[in-house]
Amino acid sequence: MSMSRRQFVKVFGLSAATLGALGVAGCSDGTSGSGSSAGSDGSKIQTIKDRGVLNCGVKADVIGYGYMDTATQEYEGLEIDLCYQIAAAVFEVSYEEAREQDLCAFTTVTPTTRGTLIDSGQLDIVAATYTITPEREEDWDFSTPYRTDSVGIMVKKANGWTSMEDLDGQTIGVSTGSTTQQLVTEMIADEGFSCTPNFVEYQSYPEIKDALDAGMVQAFAMDRSTLNTYMDDTVELLQPEVEFGTQDYGVATEKGCDLSELVDDTVNELLDNGWMEEDIQTWLGESA
């Protein structure tokens, strides 16, 4: 009977990084597109080692998760740190060494480009508030969830709205390629609200906030962690006590690739040893 990589770890006590070096289990088809084709042994881990850098898809506009500091032009946040932890496992170095040696190359992604850039081979991993869904798991591998969030609805304080019912006939801005519209619609039905809002999709979060400020939409719906980036004195969450759309964030990788299990092992180790909770506290001021 064949043994899974996780069972191999449990029986022989080998680290994820060591197994990465051994190249246990290759990619499903031996190739992964331009810029990241697997080596002759079908191992994406070996391809990354040969390249010398881990290609990571991250957000640039979600404070606390993935954010581009315009002053330094550097990415920062929980998911940036997580990418360096994964790079450390791939290259068998410490977390500090992974940062010092710049072993991560970051690319800004959006909900519409995340999966596409994995498929094309341009990215090895995506850590970008990527919600795990059954549909997405059919196309990509996801790690154990490292963070759980829920959806919120931002509105202008000047409206004086206090209930979801105030959204009847109003327009809600959502991100293209996200699950938000479906989750809001389900919440309205589940909670017994009688409102029927309209939805408009935008390519980026700043565009939605600009549309809200300009009155082009009357609400901005998205994960609460994302909305936190755009909170100011003019806006508030509508009925924040109504928690819905709970979503698990995972690190996405190519389906069936040996990198997937190394990533999952790394995330689980960081959850078990308390690093994840400490980093969440650092960036979000919350417990895991």
Side-chain angles (χ1 to χ4, degrees):
M1 180 176 67
S2 62
M3 184 179 296
S4 72
R5 185 172 179 278
R6 186 177 294 281
Q7 291 170 323
F8 197 83
V9 173
K10 184 175 181 181
V11 173
F12 295 98
L14 296 178
S15 68
T18 301
L19 284 173
L22 292 173
V24 179
C27 294
S28 57
D29 60 0
T31 62
S32 56
S34 62
S36 186
S37 59
S40 58
D41 62 351
S43 170
K44 182 176 282 292
I45 292 174
Q46 189 57 52
T47 298
I48 297 167
K49 285 174 175 259
D50 293 342
R51 186 197 308 135
V53 67
L54 179 71
N55 291 332
C56 312
V58 297
K59 291 290 184 66
D61 55 1
V62 182
I63 292 175
Y65 285 84
Y67 186 76
M68 170 71 80
D69 186 325
T70 55
T72 64
Q73 292 298 300
E74 296 288 336
Y75 289 92
E76 61 182 28
L78 167 68
E79 291 170 333
I80 307 306
D81 294 349
L82 178 55
C83 287
Y84 279 114
Q85 287 282 13
I86 294 170
V90 170
F91 292 99
E92 301 179 80
V93 298
S94 70
Y95 170 68
E96 291 74 18
E97 289 172 325
R99 296 193 73 104
E100 291 171 1
Q101 298 174 29
D102 290 327
L103 295 181
C104 290
F106 297 108
T107 297
T108 301
V109 297
T110 68
T112 55
T113 63
R114 289 178 296 199
T116 301
L117 291 175
I118 293 175
D119 293 341
S120 69
Q122 296 179 59
L123 295 178
D124 303 313
I125 66 172
V126 167
T129 60
Y130 208 174
T131 303
I132 304 169
T133 68
E135 293 77 18
R136 288 172 179 168
E137 288 183 301
E138 292 180 4
D139 296 320
W140 306 285
D141 286 333
F142 282 87
S143 71
T144 297
Y146 56 86
R147 180 69 173 152
T148 299
D149 199 5
S150 59
V151 175
I153 300 177
M154 175 188 288
V155 296
K156 302 295 283 188
K157 288 181 180 179
N159 290 331
W161 292 344
T162 59
S163 169
M164 294 293 176
E165 299 287 3
D166 293 318
L167 294 175
D168 189 41
Q170 305 298 331
T171 301
I172 302 176
V174 297
S175 177
T176 301
S178 72
T179 59
T180 307
Q181 178 175 338
Q182 175 188 346
L183 294 171
V184 172
T185 301
E186 290 175 353
M187 176 273 291
I188 290 172
D190 292 343
E191 296 292 331
F193 294 116
S194 59
C195 57
T196 306
N198 304 306
F199 294 89
V200 175
E201 294 186 343
Y202 290 84
Q203 291 294 323
S204 70
Y205 304 135
E207 287 181 281
I208 307 176
K209 180 56 165 62
D210 289 344
L212 178 64
D213 290 338
M216 297 170 62
V217 301
Q218 289 72 54
F220 177 179
M222 183 44 61
D223 302 352
R224 296 190 186 204
S225 57
T226 300
L227 290 179
N228 186 57
T229 305
Y230 300 95
M231 291 297 294
D232 56 41
D233 293 338
T234 70
V235 297
E236 61 186 355
L237 292 184
L238 183 63
Q239 284 197 260
E241 73 278 5
V242 178
E243 292 199 16
F244 69 98
T246 300
Q247 304 175 76
D248 292 325
Y249 297 152
V251 180
T253 49
E254 179 189 354
K255 192 76 175 177
C257 184
D258 60 345
L259 178 63
S260 299
E261 289 199 68
L262 184 147
V263 167
D264 189 48
D265 287 343
T266 301
V267 169
N268 276 292
E269 182 178 352
L270 297 174
L271 289 167
D272 292 343
N273 66 21
W275 179 90
M276 192 72 70
E277 183 171 3
E278 290 180 6
D279 214 51
I280 288 173
Q281 181 66 38
T282 296
W283 289 108
L284 304 173
E286 305 170 16
S287 298

